[in-house]
Amino acid sequence: DAGVTQSPTHLIKTRGQQVTLRCSPKSGHDTVSWYQQALGQGPQFIFQYYEEEERQRGNFPDRFSGHQFPNYSSELNVNALLLGDSALYLCASSSPPTGRGSPLHFGNGTRLTVT
Amino acid sequence: AQSVTQLDSHVSVSEGTPVLLRCNYSSSYSPSLFWYVQHPNKGLQLLLKYTSAATLVKGINGFEAEFKKSETSFHLTKPSAHMSDAAEYFCVVSLYTGNQFYFGTGTSLTVIP
């Protein structure tokens, strides 16, 4: 039973560029959330997708956008990259939509470095 | 409003001695609470969860946590630390609707041989 898978594992981009990160949820899950984890910090909620729509959004600018596909996989897009966007980006999946006691299942993340 | 406070940024214990990682929460509603562990350059793994059933929750790898409403605490404990327990630990709170999970800033656990 495959868990949450993310690609790529590492990525190096230049300021101003755009990046796309990908996530496949755990089998049986159809809700995907994205988190940004800066070095030495806890994960910060970016947004959550369910039924191909953004359901909730954290305090992130519009440069951060996403998409969910009919097979429940998801993409995170970041435009006009800033140095401060360097972080570990975590994808988490859960049962639809996370009800009481439904935990998040995380992938290993994508390490994005912006130079 | 809700938030999570992990009272110690770093904890160091000797192998074989007890572990205590402290977490306090604030929530306007009855929360769901979780502990996750993160090893270097890895994602987060669920250790245990509290969802208003038994207040003493047992998790994986010998960890357990006790929900104390009067103290708004959810401390993580283990009777005997193992070298493989060295990692970052996060306390997490979620509202009833569960659409957002709020993470503490993490506690780094070091286990001394």
Side-chain angles (χ1 to χ4, degrees):
Chain A
D1 179 22
V4 179
T5 58
Q6 293 187 243
S7 64
T9 55
H10 294 83
L11 205 51
I12 300 174
K13 290 286 188 179
T14 304
R15 275 180 300 176
Q17 286 188 316
Q18 178 265 345
V19 68
T20 297
L21 311 181
R22 296 177 176 83
C23 171
S24 292
K26 179 181 170 65
S27 178
H29 288 178
D30 59 8
T31 302
V32 173
S33 303
W34 286 93
Y35 287 79
Q36 180 195 65
Q37 186 179 20
L39 200 61
Q41 304 292 320
Q44 299 293 316
F45 176 71
I46 302 175
F47 42 55
Q48 182 187 76
Y49 277 85
Y50 171 65
E51 291 185 336
E52 302 179 47
E53 289 189 13
E54 184 181 295
R55 298 291 176 168
Q56 288 255 350
R57 189 179 183 91
N59 188 25
F60 279 80
D62 292 344
R63 298 187 298 109
F64 290 77
S65 63
H67 189 76
Q68 186 179 35
F69 300 93
N71 67 353
Y72 310 127
S73 66
S74 177
E75 288 181 350
L76 164 65
N77 301 292
V78 187
N79 294 322
L81 285 167
L82 304 174
L83 294 179
D85 295 331
S86 296
L88 181 68
Y89 288 85
L90 294 164
C91 173
S93 71
S94 55
S95 300
T98 46
R100 188 175 183 81
S102 297
L104 296 173
H105 294 256
F106 285 87
N108 285 335
T110 294
R111 172 72 64 187
L112 173 65
T113 302
V114 182
T115 61
Chain B
Q2 58 183 5
S3 67
V4 180
T5 302
Q6 291 185 243
L7 299 168
D8 306 293
S9 58
H10 294 92
V11 170
S12 184
V13 301
S14 296
E15 189 176 17
T17 64
V19 176
L20 170 64
L21 305 182
R22 298 182 295 166
C23 172
N24 285 100
Y25 70 92
S26 64
S27 176
S28 303
Y29 304 92
S30 183
S32 291
L33 293 159
F34 308 83
W35 275 97
Y36 282 83
V37 61
Q38 185 177 33
H39 289 91
N41 298 312
K42 294 292 186 181
L44 288 88
Q45 180 185 17
L46 178 68
L47 279 177
L48 48 80
K49 65 179 183 181
Y50 166 77
T51 57
S52 79
T55 56
L56 182 62
V57 181
K58 293 188 183 299
I60 63 172
N61 301 335
F63 284 95
E64 61 182 38
E66 186 172 7
F67 174 72
K68 292 186 177 180
K69 187 174 181 179
S70 61
E71 299 177 8
T72 61
S73 69
F74 190 58
H75 301 336
L76 181 70
T77 61
K78 183 173 180 177
S80 176
H82 191 272
M83 294 299 295
S84 60
D85 294 329
E88 190 83 15
Y89 291 79
F90 292 96
C91 182
V92 183
V93 64
S94 171
L95 270 182
Y96 178 82
T97 56
N99 284 331
Q100 282 202 38
F101 286 63
Y102 297 88
F103 284 76
T105 52
T107 298
S108 177
L109 176 64
T110 299
V111 182
I112 303 167

